[in-house]
Each structure stands twice: as structure tokens, then as C-alpha cells.
Amino acid sequence: MCGIVAYVGRQNAMPILVEGLRRLEYRGYDSAGIAVHRAGGLAVFKAKGKVREMEARLPARLKGTVGIGHTRWATHGEPSDENAHPHTDSSERIAVVHNGIIENAGALRAKLEADGTEFTSETDTELLAHLIAAEKGDSLIDNVRSVLRRVSGAYGVAVLDGDHPEEIVVARNGSPVVIGIADKAFFAASDVAALVRHTQQVVYLDDGEIARLTKDGYEVTTLDAVPSEKTPSTIELDDMEFDKADFAHFMLKEIHEQPDAVARTLRGRLEPRFSTARLGGLNIEAKDLLRFKRIKMLGCGSAYIAGVLGAKMIERLARIPCDAEPAAEFRYRNPIIEQDTLYFAVSQSGETFDTLAAVEEVQRKGGTVLGIINSVGSTIARTCKGGVYLHAGPEVAVVSTKTFLCTLTVFALIGLYLGRMKDVSPAEGKRLLTALEALPEQMQQVLDREDEFAEVGRKYAHYDHAYFIGRNEGFAVAMEGALKLKEVSYIHAEAYPASELKHGPLALVTAQTPTIAIVPNDDLVEKNMATIEEIKARQGPVLAIAQGELPVEVEDLIVVPETHELLAPVLMLLPLQLIAYHAALARECDVDQPRNLAKSVTVE
Ligand code: AGP
């Protein structure tokens, strides 16, 4: 999704902005641009396509120490040079980059057009530039404040004014803005990835805050000009973590990082003495946790699917009714929030707009919501009362892989913790704890078989459609497997509960529609065999992901090691991730930045 970077200091801004934009490429975008103060006014360069295409348009010698940059993911208006940010007013005195959506843009734009303002783009952002330029206040920050008080919607913005060449104004409402504090230089960005190369000292803006940055300092106030007390925090991220190292793609690197990532998620959280887990950040006393009668997971996309699996794990271990719901569906159905329901917001980025809105809906109605988040200090993490961080390290590829499996690991820990306070015996707790300890090593064994999965990925790459089926946990694995395949390879992949196949979808099973069957070694193996036979009878090729040999013959069989039954999804997903990756490579897809997708969906 859109990305913002801004710099004010003593160095040449242009290469810093371009590098910052490169760091934001992983978020997904379709055009890029920068604006820099130079002698004689603002210089603006932008282009549809990749950052390198915009960079090709930059003059060799563009000097200026104050500038802003943007990667755009189209919302209002198609991807084009004209719609790329920064946007300026008619005199090119004001330049604005913006993440989010201005909801009352239509009415405000119509009024300006009626008064004779000519717009050069279809975006809602250009409106901001015209409105700020029309303000008559003495300072840029006052003019921006005045405009932002009149707009509704979500925004993170950065603004330059040719009449105030020493400063940048940034503001936030619903879309993240973080200020980076370096030596004699200040940065702003929508994502710490753009800053981490220069500084680890940051200040997060809260909604309704606006800041003025110069080379000598920054000041944060509210839109009503009340000073905000901000304490810088230190981000524990290494610039190298945003590097592909020797891997061809971030997706592949992150798939192979999973054993280490899961080991980090587990570190210090297992309590062998009592066969339980230790979770410091929940901020709820054990006795208070026990009063909850239900648990609900909220998230979007893969985070929602992880919630589906998490709900099954916790329900089985803690014998508390649990379910999961897509966050956007939840927030728009005026949900009944019960005091004895515990909500978990699941999000790797901690910035997904719909998940945040669901959290706020729960909190507004007096409910308790905890975060299962990867990005430390992200908006959802800060909004929740407490929670559990994944510690997976930054995930750069648009598709979730390591954060998905680390989320499952966290749910296993929560289930173990709650279960041991209820009916799970010490022996049963120990069985899960021992399986968790062994998990990273088992994951590594599966990943070491990449060649086997690559061959399968290539073999299935020519199909246009695929079904993924499973029962219970297997169905949730099928959902995530199908999502991975469609995201990166653009093969149409649909997940169905295996039991539902004969209620309709079987009509589409032919020799041209393979089915990927998830067959854990549980008490439903026979039922799954019956479904596989039905598919074979219609000439449908079957690829089975199982935990041992199967009594029926299938086109392809991938066997993963036995583990605790609740952890089987972790091992079964590894081949599915690599199959999706290699199918995408065979189809020459842009694996790390799939078309139309964004890493962090910060708009509705
Ligand atoms: C997963 O591969 C996706 N790209 C997507 O579904 C993602 O999980 C979803 O947008 C939620 O993101 P979050 O975890 O950052 O909230």
C-alpha cells in the first residue's frame, strides 16, 4: 500500500528519498514520486511503475536538503504519471504526499472546481494541495491544520511549501506516520523500514497529531495546536533484515527463516516445570483470564485464517468456545460485544485498517481485546490493552509466510497456558510443550526438501484452477494454501471443506482441475480417503499433503513428519508455501510484489 518518506537535514535529499522509497517497495505500489526544495522553488518528479522508472527521470544534479517521496497504490484514479504523488497546487508552491482516503473529497473538489480551480489528476490528494495553497495563515503548519480540520477520512500526509523551504509538515489520522531522529537530520515515514538505515530513534504520531520538522528539530502538536508530549522509542530492527541476502526473493528468504522465527517466538515462553507457557504481555491476571466464557479472533486475509486455526487450537486445549471472523465483516455488523468474551486482534503489520477498526469497535463497547502482532509499536499493538508479539522479524514479501506460522505458534502457547489452568493434565501439557520444542528442527527437515516441492510446484504451474480441501484444521490449512497459491502464481485456487465438495464444487472437477488434499493423520483419514476416491473417479489429479503413506493412490504425495496433532498445520503449510513459490516462478510472476496487492492494507 502507499508509502511516505520525508527528509530534512544537511545532506542531499534526493538519494535518501529514493533509497527510502526502495525500502517501501515491498508494501506494493504502482507509481512513485519525489518533491525536493531547490533554489527557485519545488522540483517534482513522478512516474507510473517502479521506483527505478521514476529515478530514471531525475536530473543528475538535483540539490536540495528537504524533500518528500511517495509510493502510490491506486485508490482514486488508475495508476498513471498524473495520479502519482506528490501532488501540487496550480502554482506548484505546495506539494503533498498522502496515504489513506479523504472521504469528503468529492464535495470539496466540486466546490473548488466551481470556483475555477483546475485539477490535473483524479486523486483525492490533489485537493489537499489546492486547499493548503488557498490558506492565508502565517505558517505552513497552521495552514495544514486548518485544512485537515475540514477533511474527513484517513490520512498520513507530508507537505512541502515553497514559501517555507526549511521545513516539512506531517500529520496523521488513521494512517501511520513515524518521525525518525538522526544526527542533525529528521525523517518521517509511514513505515520504519524507510528509516531504519539512518536511525533507530523514533517517535510515533498518534491520530490527530501534526508535526513540523526542520533540520534543527521537530515539534508535535494536535490539530488544535495543543503541544503533545512525545517520548522517542528505540526500534530493535536491523537494516540487514530488509535485505534479501543470497535469496532470489524475500518470500523464499522468509520461508527459510521460519525455523529461526518460530524458535524466537518460543524463546523464554515455555515453562517445563509446570508444563505450561509464560506470556508476559497479556496484562491480564490468570484468574481474570479464566472468567472469559468465549474467545473470538479478528483479522484479515492470512491473519484471519491464522485466527481460524488459533480458535480451533485454543478451543481444543482450553475447552472454551472460540471462533474467528474477518475483521471487516465483524465491524460492519454492529456486533454484540459481551464482557465475558475475550477478543484477539491478529495482524502481522499491526496497521491493517479493518482490524484496527474492529479493535476500536470492541473497545468502544467495553470489550477486552488483545493483540497478536509482529510489528512492535504498531498502531494495533499500541491500541490493544496487551497481547503477544510474534518476534518473527520484519516480513518484507507481500505474502505472509513466517508471520503466519509464528502466529500459530503463539496460539499454541496461549492454548497451552489457558489449557493448563483448566483441564489439560501435566502429561498432556508436556506432550505439547515437547512438540513445540522440537518444532523448529522438524520445520528445518521439511524445508531441506525444497527440491521435491519445487518439482511439484512446477508440475502444477500450468493449471488455471485448483481446489484445496481438508477437514477441521485441515480445512484451515487448505484456506491458507489456496491463498498463497493465488496470491503469488495467480492460479485460481479455492478452498473447500472436504465434506462440502460433493455438494456442488465436484461439478468442476476434471482432469484439468487438480485438488490439493490436506490429510493429517487424525480420525478423519477414512473420510478424506472417500473424498479423494470421488475426485479420482472424475479424473481429477490429487496432490495429498499427509503425515504418512495413504491407503489410496494419488498423483503426488508429500509426507511431513508426525508431531502433536495441533501443530500438524505448521509442518503441512511449509510444502504448500514452497509449491506456491515455485509455481509462481514457473509462471514468471512477480513473487515479492504480486499485482494489485499491498503488504499492509491501511485503507478500507
Ligand atoms: C497474506 O499473504 C496477505 N498478503 C494478506 O492476506 C494479509 O495477511 C492481510 O492483509 C492482513 O495483514 P496483517 O497481518 O498485516 O493485518
Side-chain angles (χ1 to χ4, degrees):
M1 199 127 284
C2 302
I4 290 175
V5 61
Y7 171 80
V8 48
R10 290 169 170 78
Q11 295 178 48
N12 191 8
M14 190 178 72
I16 294 173
L17 294 173
V18 171
E19 172 59 27
L21 293 182
R22 285 222 180 82
R23 290 293 192 210
L24 297 175
E25 286 192 294
Y26 80 97
R27 297 168 64 93
Y29 70 106
D30 42 53
S31 58
I34 63 169
V36 175
H37 277 297
R38 65 173 170 193
L42 290 181
V44 179
F45 303 91
K46 47 194 196 172
K48 178 182 167 184
K50 298 288 182 194
V51 170
R52 63 175 177 274
E53 287 159 69
M54 185 273 299
E55 199 183 359
R57 296 189 180 181
L58 297 176
R61 267 175 286 172
L62 173 63
K63 288 266 186 288
T65 56
V66 183
I68 56 180
H70 193 259
T71 48
R72 172 176 187 257
W73 188 82
T75 56
H76 282 58
E78 61 174 10
S80 66
D81 286 2
E82 294 71 30
N83 289 335
H85 298 209
H87 288 285
T88 61
D89 66 306
S90 309
S91 67
E92 300 198 345
R93 178 174 67 82
I94 300 292
V96 180
V97 294
H98 162 224
N99 290 357
I101 294 178
I102 304 298
E103 281 160 6
N104 56 348
L108 291 169
R109 180 175 175 136
K111 190 167 179 315
L112 283 185
E113 281 175 332
D115 293 344
T117 303
E118 283 185 20
F119 281 75
T120 57
S121 76
E122 301 158 88
T123 66
D124 50 348
T125 306
E126 185 183 343
L127 170 82
L128 297 176
H130 292 295
L131 289 173
I132 294 167
E135 289 292 317
K136 301 278 183 271
D138 291 337
S139 69
L140 174 59
I141 195 165
D142 281 343
N143 291 340
V144 177
R145 267 198 203 104
S146 164
V147 168
L148 292 182
R149 281 199 292 258
R150 282 153 54 201
V151 301
S152 58
Y155 56 76
V157 289
V159 186
L160 294 184
D161 181 343
D163 287 350
H164 298 276
E166 302 287 312
E167 65 189 62
I168 300 168
V169 168
V170 294
R172 168 193 168 128
N173 188 45
S175 189
V177 175
V178 56
I179 297 172
I181 305 163
D183 187 23
K184 298 185 183 124
F186 292 86
F187 296 80
S190 51
D191 182 330
V192 292
L195 313 175
V196 72
R197 186 168 203 188
H198 306 278
T199 180
Q200 295 189 311
Q201 287 294 106
V202 299
V203 163
Y204 295 96
L205 288 195
D206 288 314
D207 282 349
E209 288 185 331
I210 183 165
R212 176 174 174 271
L213 277 57
T214 68
K215 66 180 183 328
D216 300 315
Y218 68 94
E219 59 206 35
V220 183
T221 53
T222 65
L223 284 188
D224 296 323
V226 178
S228 296
E229 283 294 320
K230 306 299 279 189
T231 313
S233 39
T234 306
I235 40 172
E236 284 168 14
L237 286 179
D238 184 344
D239 187 39
M240 288 310 290
E241 292 183 275
F242 293 92
D243 200 276
K244 279 204 289 259
D246 291 334
F247 288 92
H249 295 97
F250 279 108
M251 181 181 177
L252 188 62
K253 175 179 177 243
E254 287 157 6
I255 288 173
H256 282 280
E257 281 173 352
Q258 293 180 111
D260 284 347
V262 165
R264 274 202 304 276
T265 302
L266 290 172
R267 194 162 299 146
R269 288 171 168 167
L270 292 175
E271 180 64 276
R273 198 152 66 103
F274 300 108
S275 302
T276 185
R278 210 186 295 131
L279 295 164
L282 293 179
N283 296 339
I284 302 183
E285 295 280 318
K287 65 174 178 10
D288 294 327
L289 272 177
L290 288 175
R291 80 179 166 80
F292 290 107
K293 300 275 187 310
R294 290 184 61 83
I295 291 179
K296 185 180 264 299
M297 317 296 181
L298 301 168
C300 300
S302 282
Y304 156 66
I305 300 171
V308 172
L309 274 163
K312 290 177 189 298
M313 280 186 192
I314 296 177
E315 185 166 295
R316 285 185 192 236
L317 288 163
R319 303 308 295 156
I320 300 172
C322 297
D323 70 349
E325 188 172 344
E329 293 293 304
F330 173 84
R331 63 178 283 229
Y332 281 123
R333 68 172 171 83
N334 192 17
I336 297 165
I337 305 297
E338 292 166 320
Q339 301 302 310
D340 55 7
T341 298
L342 175 62
Y343 296 84
F344 282 104
V346 187
S347 174
Q348 81 77 25
S349 63
E351 301 293 350
T352 300
F353 189 89
D354 281 322
T355 309
L356 175 62
V359 168
E360 290 170 343
E361 182 72 7
V362 173
Q363 291 178 333
R364 192 175 309 116
K365 292 178 172 174
T368 305
V369 56
L370 301 175
I372 309 293
I373 310 286
N374 193 40
S375 293
V376 176
S378 56
T379 308
I380 300 175
R382 288 183 293 133
T383 307
C384 289
K385 177 184 162 73
V388 185
Y389 279 121
L390 305 183
H391 300 310
E395 189 173 70
V396 175
V398 164
V399 293
S400 297
T401 52
K402 64 176 178 173
T403 56
F404 188 92
L405 296 193
C406 289
T407 306
L408 298 191
T409 308
V410 164
F411 281 132
L413 289 168
I414 295 173
L416 178 61
Y417 179 61
L418 292 177
R420 285 288 293 119
M421 287 194 284
K422 300 183 80 186
D423 292 339
V424 173
S425 68
E428 191 45 37
K430 187 170 177 211
R431 192 167 73 84
L432 178 54
L433 190 144
T434 309
L436 281 167
E437 284 174 328
L439 194 59
E441 178 57 35
Q442 285 188 304
M443 292 169 74
Q444 190 57 56
Q445 285 164 15
V446 178
L447 290 173
D448 287 345
R449 290 160 52 199
E450 178 174 357
D451 290 350
E452 178 189 336
F453 312 141
E455 202 180 314
V456 175
R458 287 190 288 272
K459 177 171 168 186
Y460 284 74
H462 73 280
Y463 289 107
D464 292 324
H465 308 276
Y467 278 123
F468 282 69
I469 58 165
R471 287 177 155 84
N472 291 332
E473 282 84 356
F475 171 51
V477 172
M479 287 166 75
E480 176 62 5
L483 184 62
K484 288 294 85 96
L485 188 69
K486 70 183 128 194
E487 278 183 299
V488 288
S489 74
Y490 313 148
I491 295 173
H492 167 227
E494 233 183 318
Y496 260 94
S499 55
E500 282 287 305
L501 209 64
K502 58 175 165 303
H503 296 289
L506 200 55
L508 297 180
V509 169
T510 65
Q512 293 313 312
T513 314
T515 299
I516 292 82
I518 313 303
V519 195
N521 198 7
D522 58 16
D523 48 8
L524 294 170
V525 169
E526 277 178 28
K527 304 264 176 232
N528 282 323
M529 290 311 105
T531 309
I532 288 175
E533 292 288 15
E534 287 163 9
I535 297 165
K536 285 176 59 186
R538 274 96 192 157
Q539 284 76 51
V542 174
L543 157 62
I545 313 289
Q547 292 181 293
E549 292 301 318
L550 297 179
V552 301
E553 207 172 303
V554 289
E555 174 94 15
D556 289 287
L557 173 68
I558 289 175
V559 177
V560 299
E562 291 277 1
T563 171
H564 189 287
E565 58 278 11
L566 295 179
L567 302 180
V570 174
L571 297 183
M572 299 186 111
L573 273 160
L574 296 169
L576 293 177
Q577 295 170 344
L578 283 166
I579 287 169
Y581 172 78
H582 286 283
L585 278 195
R587 291 166 70 98
E588 298 182 0
C589 298
D590 186 348
V591 176
D592 281 339
Q593 290 162 41
R595 70 180 177 215
N596 306 338
L597 298 185
K599 182 64 183 164
S600 161
V601 184
T602 49
V603 294
E604 281 188 78

